[in-house]
Amino acid sequence: MLFAYTRSIAALLLVIMALVVQEAKCASHPTNLGTVVNLRIEGRDHTIFEGPISTRGHNVTTVSGGTHHCDGTNRDENPYPGPTCTSALDDAARKHNFSWDGTFSGEFDDFFITTIAGDSQTATEFWGILLNFVFTPVGGCQQQVKHDDHVLWAFNAFNVSAFLKLEGPRSARLDTPVVFTVTDGMTGAPIEGAGVNGITSGEDGHVLLSFDKTGTVALKAEKLGTIRSNAVRLVIT
Ligand SMILES: *[C@@H]1O[C@H](CO)[C@@H](O)[C@H](O)[C@H]1NC(C)=O
Ligand SMILES: *[C@@H]1O[C@H](CO)[C@@H](O)[C@H](O)[C@H]1NC(C)=O
Ligand SMILES: CC(=O)N[C@H]1CO[C@H](CO)[C@@H](O)[C@@H]1O
């Protein structure tokens, strides 16, 4: 008797808890108003786009794939719509007037990107997506993004030894050396032999640069067999 009574109280408590959890979920229901991410698109020979982009989850249309949702609810990956890696690509393409194309897979409920700004995949080179220097485990319309995330679309992403990351000061004095550092964005390991403004990084990934003109320069690190780095904007005074 007491046992049954305790059991029904326990059951009632479970129901109440479930209701509370449900309520909390509703209260924190994320909105799809849009967010700003740092988008970078590294093409075969040059950077196609690099900068902040405002994006929200929305329908996307490609020539080869047609019109489909692209808000993270693809293949039930997320419960609520929101901005995604591919919505960011699409919003940048529209705002900055470059084209992209992708086929659509019903099985994955997602686009497979084939071309961005004329750089088309080949039998061995494909476009890949990294979120904060980590390959996304799911497709670009499934992978939601947050404010300030670093979204990288890279050509031939699956056949490179590293995704370069460049760090350094934002300002320098005329003819005064400053140190920049090139690392592997995934592991943080220093990268030797990368070129930054004509100077090659040492074993510790360091590059010593000095400038004989005032103004602003955008520096990137490049190395054969890797994906070139983010840009660091440096003001020389
Ligand atoms: C988005 O595309 C789907 C087809 O995938 C369509 O059913 C839906 O009406 C579209 N929504 C909007 C807002 O255009
Ligand atoms: C956008 O790009 C297309 C093709 O490259 C070009 O024809 C068109 O004039 C461009 N539009 C704007 C607004 O720059
Ligand atoms: C780093 C890497 O994966 N390199 C490979 C790229 O593809 C060629 C041939 O397609 C391979 O020989 C490399 O090992």
Side-chain angles (χ1 to χ4, degrees):
M1 178 66 190
L2 183 63
F3 182 62
Y5 182 67
T6 313
R7 277 235 306 227
S8 58
I9 288 200
L12 186 65
L13 276 177
L14 275 177
V15 168
I16 290 171
M17 270 164 62
L19 283 173
V20 167
V21 167
Q22 192 65 33
E23 192 65 25
K25 267 187 187 163
C26 287
S28 65
H29 179 302
T31 52
N32 183 23
L33 291 176
T35 192
V36 176
V37 297
N38 300 300
L39 177 68
R40 186 152 67 89
I41 306 172
E42 296 295 350
R44 181 193 289 277
D45 305 313
H46 72 289
T47 301
I48 292 167
F49 179 83
E50 181 167 2
I53 197 83
S54 175
T55 186
R56 53 187 287 276
H58 58 75
N59 269 6
V60 158
T61 302
T62 67
V63 172
S64 304
T67 299
H68 302 276
H69 64 158
C70 186
D71 59 10
T73 63
N74 299 54
R75 218 188 187 193
D76 295 328
E77 184 62 28
N78 298 278
Y80 303 109
T84 64
C85 291
T86 302
S87 77
L89 165 66
D90 190 57
D91 286 321
R94 277 196 249 186
K95 188 158 182 237
H96 298 275
N97 197 32
F98 61 83
S99 64
W100 69 278
D101 195 13
T103 56
F104 190 82
S105 157
E107 186 195 341
F108 288 96
D109 194 17
D110 211 330
F111 290 91
F112 284 108
I113 278 58
T114 53
T115 303
I116 301 177
D119 284 352
S120 296
Q121 69 173 31
T122 66
T124 57
E125 301 163 305
F126 305 96
W127 281 99
I129 327 164
L130 289 88
L131 184 55
N132 302 320
F133 281 113
V134 177
F135 274 111
T136 61
V138 291
C141 289
Q142 293 170 275
Q143 182 64 59
Q144 288 186 340
V145 293
K146 298 186 307 292
H147 178 74
D148 241 12
D149 269 346
H150 180 201
V151 180
L152 170 60
W153 286 90
F155 183 78
N156 198 19
F158 306 103
N159 192 14
V160 291
S161 59
F163 296 84
L164 302 188
K165 182 176 182 180
L166 181 64
E167 289 170 297
R170 303 302 162 115
S171 63
R173 304 308 299 265
L174 202 60
D175 295 319
T176 309
V178 281
V179 180
F180 283 78
T181 308
V182 186
T183 55
D184 176 331
M186 277 185 181
T187 64
I191 296 282
E192 185 181 9
V196 183
N197 210 42
I199 308 290
T200 305
S201 60
E203 213 177 318
D204 53 6
H206 289 173
V207 183
L208 199 61
L209 300 175
S210 63
F211 299 85
D212 57 8
K213 282 196 204 89
T214 59
T216 303
V217 288
L219 304 170
K220 281 176 94 96
E222 301 204 27
K223 184 184 177 179
L224 206 66
T226 70
I227 299 294
R228 70 187 71 80
S229 78
N230 55 291
V232 175
R233 229 163 270 283
L234 176 71
V235 180
I236 304 132
T237 54

